[in-house]
Amino acid sequence: MIETLLALYILCMMGMFAYSLLQLHLTFIHWRQRRMRPCAPAQSAQGELPLITVQLPIFNERYVATRLLDCVADLDYPPDRFEIQVLDDSTDETPEIVARKLAELAARGLRVAHLRRPDRSGYKAGALRDALPQAAGELIAIFDADFCPAPDFLRKAIPSFQDGRVAAVQLRWGFLNEDYSLLTRLQAFVLRAHFGVEQPARRARGLFANFNGSGGLWRRAAIEDAGGWRADTVTEDLDLSYRAQFKGWRIEFLEHEPCDSELPVDMDGFRSQQFRWMKGGAQNARLHLCPVLRSRLPLLVKLHACAHLLASSFYLLVLGTVLLSVPLGAAGNAATRAYTTSYAIAFLFAIPVAAALLYEAQDRPYTAARFIAMMAGWFVFSLGMCLHSASAAFHGWLGGAGEFVRTPKYGIVGARGDWSGSAYVRSRLLAIAWLELALMVFVALGLVAGWIRGYFAFYPVQLMALGGLGWVFGLSLLHSQKAQGRRLAAAVRHRQRGPSFTD
């Protein structure tokens, strides 16, 4: 039995080591590209401009729908050369808010359309699929409800389409509320690794990249050539990106052109976003991994495509390492101790690789102490999320698209704002949080067993996992209690006020 557990542990270590090597390669590509050929900011389009359809897929976005439409209405583009489609599947009062705002925009001379469907079939992918035949544009710009594009967004992105093989142009995400809390600062810190290193490095070496679902434009011909939007996964953007690149199209990335977005500020919203991203990544791996391996793509492109598709499944290896550390530390013999100690270097190797990647990605000035603190915080927090993320990846590998669970947005900009009274907040703890509490107990038993046996090789991963799980569970509990308290206070005020004709 111990031999089997040891083999699984070594497999997890080798998987993490291989993934870390490829991440290190992306970091080196970006570092060298930045030193040899600094990327200049994009030039604005001039002369004859293409017709563009701006699509805004939304679902129950009462707090941000107006902000989104105001930003899109302010785009610096001739009114006769673009149209706005609101793909509205909402079931609350959002359609009324949108209708009033669209009437204002229409009075200003903008071309607008409010598209409603009888049901949410296909979720976001279905809305994009059903709206495309009604779009007039040769280019399709897509913004989720939490985005706020800059006025020059379209003019900065259009020149890339002069290359006839460019399917999509993705802009780097900026963050409207990064300074709201430690949770939002950590999210921005880590997302910069994707937008500040991974995406530009993939573009520089001709590797498979992805459209990120929002903050970019698609060439309509590329969407149709790749088979259109499909609801086979909950990350339809990654799916379409791979199908288009298999057809020979390219995805361009504008590293120095940010498109601002709102980060989740509560654990429930953060969990729903992460679950969708991790599950969708695994679903796309299930769909596209074999075609990548069977293709005639260069070996380097294949390796990085595999790592890209398996990124969310990396958390299965992390969770496996945490779980296996307890029995191996408690019951392992001298031989297993020697093996586990030797292969633990693979886990430790991921730390300096992640540090190099994150350091290369940051566009904010960090002191050494602050960067180390942010790095350590992210590493511990990500270990705390390992059960949640691994569960999402596992569901993705099981098959079936599943429900597209939206991430609630509250219209928070900057460092202030209260989300706890929002109609979209759930005041109960998710079941996964209680499983995280059980995992904390299991890891704590591993620490006790290691202390009794005098074997501390697993202490680093176990201590970080215990701290991260406690952090994630505690923050989830705190946010749940905050929302519940706000709702109870509102109910008390309502009873004290008594019934009214507006109730």
Side-chain angles (χ1 to χ4, degrees):
M1 180 63 176
I2 289 296
E3 288 74 15
T4 302
L5 296 179
L6 178 61
L8 291 173
Y9 173 83
I10 293 174
L11 184 63
C12 290
M13 291 294 102
M14 290 299 94
M16 287 193 288
F17 183 71
Y19 182 77
S20 297
L21 281 177
L22 290 168
Q23 291 297 94
L24 183 62
H25 184 234
L26 288 178
T27 305
F28 175 73
I29 292 171
H30 186 267
W31 175 82
R32 187 174 63 176
Q33 184 78 6
R34 180 170 54 84
R35 283 173 60 90
M36 296 176 60
R37 246 183 293 171
C39 184
Q43 299 297 314
S44 294
Q46 304 295 332
E48 185 176 355
L49 299 173
L51 181 61
I52 294 178
T53 297
V54 179
Q55 293 186 329
L56 312 175
I58 64 174
F59 174 70
N60 293 352
E61 302 291 1
R62 68 177 78 172
Y63 301 113
V64 294
T66 298
R67 182 183 72 189
L68 171 66
L69 286 167
D70 282 335
C71 288
V72 172
D74 289 338
L75 289 172
D76 177 21
Y77 208 74
D80 63 329
R81 301 304 295 162
F82 86 106
E83 62 177 358
I84 302 170
Q85 286 185 339
V86 181
L87 321 183
D88 187 2
D89 286 345
S90 300
T91 57
D92 63 359
E93 67 266 33
T94 301
E96 288 75 22
I97 296 172
V98 170
R100 288 194 297 269
K101 191 64 186 178
L102 288 182
E104 293 179 22
L105 300 185
R108 288 169 48 183
L110 296 176
R111 298 167 58 185
V112 299
H114 192 185
L115 305 183
R116 301 274 290 150
R117 301 191 300 163
D119 56 59
R120 286 187 75 200
S121 60
Y123 304 104
K124 179 182 175 181
L128 292 168
R129 176 198 63 211
D130 295 344
L132 189 61
Q134 303 177 57
E138 59 185 280
L139 299 179
I140 310 294
I142 300 173
F143 303 108
D144 287 342
D146 51 329
F147 277 71
C148 190
D152 61 354
F153 179 99
L154 297 178
R155 289 185 179 272
K156 289 290 182 66
I158 287 172
S160 297
F161 287 102
Q162 292 176 1
D163 182 341
R165 297 311 299 169
V166 169
V169 175
Q170 175 69 57
L171 273 69
R172 174 173 63 86
W173 289 4
F175 309 109
L176 293 166
N177 59 335
E178 176 176 352
D179 295 322
Y180 183 80
S181 66
L182 180 57
L183 176 62
T184 56
R185 284 192 291 271
L186 283 174
Q187 290 177 68
F189 183 74
V190 175
L191 282 170
R192 287 195 182 98
H194 177 67
F195 290 102
V197 174
E198 293 177 346
Q199 287 281 55
R202 289 179 181 130
R203 175 205 61 199
R205 287 299 301 269
L207 307 174
F208 271 29
N210 66 289
F211 179 74
N212 291 103
S214 180
L217 291 91
W218 272 91
R219 192 190 299 271
R220 180 176 185 152
I223 297 175
E224 294 170 343
D225 184 51
W229 295 104
R230 296 178 185 172
D232 298 332
T233 77
V234 292
T235 49
E236 70 296 322
D237 46 2
L238 181 58
D239 175 37
L240 180 60
S241 297
Y242 266 73
R243 286 188 279 114
Q245 287 169 109
F246 278 132
K247 289 275 192 174
W249 294 94
R250 290 195 308 106
I251 294 177
E252 185 60 49
F253 180 73
L254 300 185
E255 180 179 356
H256 297 283
E257 302 301 329
C259 183
D260 287 335
S261 63
E262 181 181 331
L263 294 163
V265 295
D266 66 311
M267 279 301 294
D268 183 64
F270 177 70
R271 283 182 183 274
S272 67
Q273 182 194 71
Q274 293 299 304
F275 194 91
R276 186 176 68 252
W277 287 358
M278 299 299 154
K279 179 180 178 180
Q283 288 174 326
N284 276 282
R286 181 170 48 81
L287 289 175
H288 300 300
L289 203 57
C290 286
V292 166
L293 294 173
R294 289 195 301 262
S295 70
R296 296 186 177 182
L297 294 167
L299 178 60
L300 186 63
V301 176
K302 283 187 179 183
L303 289 174
H304 276 286
C306 290
H308 188 193
L309 290 168
L310 293 171
S312 67
S313 300
F314 177 82
Y315 281 97
L316 292 169
L317 304 180
V318 175
L319 178 62
T321 301
V322 173
L323 292 173
L324 291 168
S325 71
V326 175
L328 287 174
N333 52 35
T336 58
R337 286 188 178 188
Y339 273 108
T340 53
T341 303
S342 300
Y343 281 96
I345 191 67
F347 178 82
L348 297 176
F349 179 70
I351 298 176
V353 169
L357 176 67
L358 289 165
Y359 184 80
E360 177 70 13
Q362 301 310 313
D363 57 3
R364 276 191 167 193
Y366 281 98
T367 63
R370 182 169 173 77
F371 177 81
I372 292 172
M374 292 293 290
M375 172 69 194
W378 168 78
F379 211 84
V380 171
F381 190 80
S382 64
L383 275 173
M385 287 290 293
C386 70
L387 179 60
H388 184 272
S389 299
S391 172
F394 179 74
H395 278 84
W397 280 105
L398 286 179
E403 182 183 2
F404 185 104
V405 180
R406 62 179 279 280
T407 303
K409 298 98 180 176
Y410 309 117
I412 293 177
V413 176
R416 294 186 177 182
D418 184 20
W419 51 267
S420 59
S422 166
Y424 301 140
V425 172
R426 289 185 293 189
S427 58
R428 61 177 178 83
L429 274 179
L430 298 175
I432 193 70
W434 298 109
L435 292 177
E436 288 165 349
L437 183 61
L439 181 56
M440 286 174 61
V441 175
F442 184 67
V443 173
L445 291 175
L447 289 169
V448 172
W451 183 269
I452 293 172
R453 300 194 66 189
Y455 182 51
F456 305 106
F458 291 111
Y459 260 46
V461 63
Q462 289 175 345
L463 286 171
M464 286 191 292
L466 187 63
L469 288 163
W471 186 357
V472 168
F473 178 80
L475 197 57
S476 299
L477 182 62
L478 176 66
H479 286 182
S480 173
Q481 293 299 312
K482 183 178 180 180
Q484 191 173 39
R486 182 68 180 267
R487 289 191 175 181
L488 287 173
V492 169
R493 288 196 302 270
H494 180 77
R495 285 198 301 269
Q496 291 175 342
R497 196 171 58 239
S500 69
F501 292 109
T502 60
D503 287 341

